[in-house]
Amino acid sequence: MILVSGATGTVGRRLILELRIRKTPFRILTRDPVKARALLGEVDVVVGDFFDARALHRALADVDAAFLLGPVDPDIPKWEACFARAAKKAGVKRLVKLSALGADPQSHVSVMRWHGEAEEEVRRSGVPFVILRPNAFFQNLERHAPNIRHGVLAAPMADARIAMVNADDVAAAAAAALTGSSLDGQVLILSGPVSITYAQIAAALAALLARPVSYASVAPKDAELAMLESGMPAWLVEALSGIAAQLRAGRADLVTEGVRLATGRDPSPLSEYLRTRRSVFA
């Protein structure tokens, strides 16, 4: 039995599909069973969160491996420490944590620091683990779809090169880690096959849609102001701005063998992702 947290997120939804393809029994831990069933169909659900000891006890019963993913929040280390300790107590044989590229408890970027601290909690628990650190997702481009439909891809990325990865490949790597022991103890950085710029992404979108799409590099301060004006909390704006700064600094210009090591196949390219999601941008 596999337990999946974060099942309604970008990677979680795809992981559920992977487990169904493999015919692997699973259940999910969620605070919103109505949303979960609307997105995932009929699933075995335990309602609760990482601070709910009784829910964790029920969710982890008879579980061999668990997928650990908390929402972006300053409490990630505390939440995931509770989960890891409960998994140890329940006799779980493997934790697969979805972390972040650049995770480091000493990082000045909040999200990287939170995930770095959470990784330490997983190691401290004594449960065998696999840590997955994905690069930026292709799926993040879908946030820009309204502007892309008007011919503009606007982002505060300057000319940064990023080895973006398909969340489908990340989910496949997670499924492999959950259902086998060959990756135990490893920290895998998951990237796409090449590093690309946002200008190149705009050109690929233009070719796909057969109409002009241009890249507009947004000043970081303007991007922060737009997020604040949209109602986003200041701590989240700071977190996202920190990630964007890391991307601009070249920290994501990193092509790795992580996807191949986990899945036995090459990561999918941008062209494949765009072809399958053309309707989103058209």
Side-chain angles (χ1 to χ4, degrees):
M1 174 66 74
I2 305 292
L3 176 65
V4 179
S5 60
T8 60
T10 300
V11 174
R13 295 196 308 272
R14 291 163 171 82
L15 175 57
I16 296 301
L17 177 60
E18 288 282 341
L19 294 175
R20 282 175 167 151
I21 290 171
R22 293 166 180 257
K23 302 187 184 303
T24 301
F26 67 89
R27 71 170 64 103
I28 71 170
L29 175 70
T30 181
R31 290 177 293 184
D32 190 341
V34 174
K35 176 183 177 182
R37 290 192 169 104
L39 289 172
L40 305 172
E42 190 55 38
V43 287
D44 181 1
V45 171
V46 173
V47 179
D49 60 36
F50 293 171
F51 286 157
D52 185 338
R54 291 183 179 180
L56 284 176
H57 178 74
R58 294 194 306 274
L60 289 163
D62 302 316
V63 163
D64 299 305
F67 182 68
L68 177 53
L69 172 60
V72 176
D73 189 277
D75 279 336
I76 286 176
K78 295 178 183 178
W79 282 339
E80 298 195 357
C82 289
F83 190 99
R85 288 194 293 266
K88 176 66 173 180
K89 185 176 180 179
V92 172
K93 298 178 179 65
R94 183 176 304 108
L95 283 176
V96 177
K97 171 174 166 50
L98 189 70
S99 188
L101 183 67
D104 183 341
Q106 304 304 318
S107 177
H108 68 278
V109 178
S110 57
V111 174
M112 281 69 165
R113 184 173 64 253
W114 301 336
H115 277 293
E117 291 170 354
E119 287 183 11
E120 289 194 334
E121 295 292 349
V122 168
R123 291 185 176 92
R124 196 174 291 128
S125 73
V127 180
F129 65 85
V130 181
I131 292 172
L132 305 177
R133 296 178 180 170
N135 212 313
F137 298 144
F138 287 142
Q139 282 75 9
N140 293 346
L141 298 171
E142 296 178 22
R143 301 171 187 168
H144 302 282
N147 286 335
I148 290 170
R149 294 186 198 112
H150 289 91
V152 178
L153 171 59
M157 296 301 166
D159 58 356
R161 301 186 66 83
I162 306 166
M164 299 177 79
V165 65
N166 195 324
D168 292 348
D169 292 332
V170 177
L178 287 163
T179 57
S181 61
S182 64
L183 300 174
D184 284 1
Q186 295 194 44
V187 177
L188 293 181
I189 297 175
L190 306 177
S191 81
V194 296
S195 290
I196 52 178
T197 66
Y198 267 62
Q200 289 173 315
I201 294 169
L205 283 162
L208 176 77
L209 302 173
R211 57 176 171 76
V213 178
S214 60
Y215 170 52
S217 182
V218 178
K221 288 296 183 183
D222 291 340
E224 290 177 15
L225 181 60
M227 287 187 283
L228 288 169
E229 290 178 343
S230 74
M232 191 176 291
W235 67 264
L236 183 54
V237 171
E238 185 274 331
L240 296 177
S241 297
I243 293 171
Q246 292 291 290
L247 297 177
R248 290 193 301 272
R251 302 294 173 81
D253 185 5
L254 184 63
V255 176
T256 73
E257 293 293 314
V259 170
R260 171 167 279 282
L261 287 171
T263 67
R265 58 175 171 77
D266 291 331
S268 52
L270 174 67
S271 58
E272 180 179 324
Y273 160 73
L274 291 179
R275 187 179 69 252
T276 59
R277 298 295 288 168
R278 184 183 187 282
S279 61
V280 174
F281 303 106

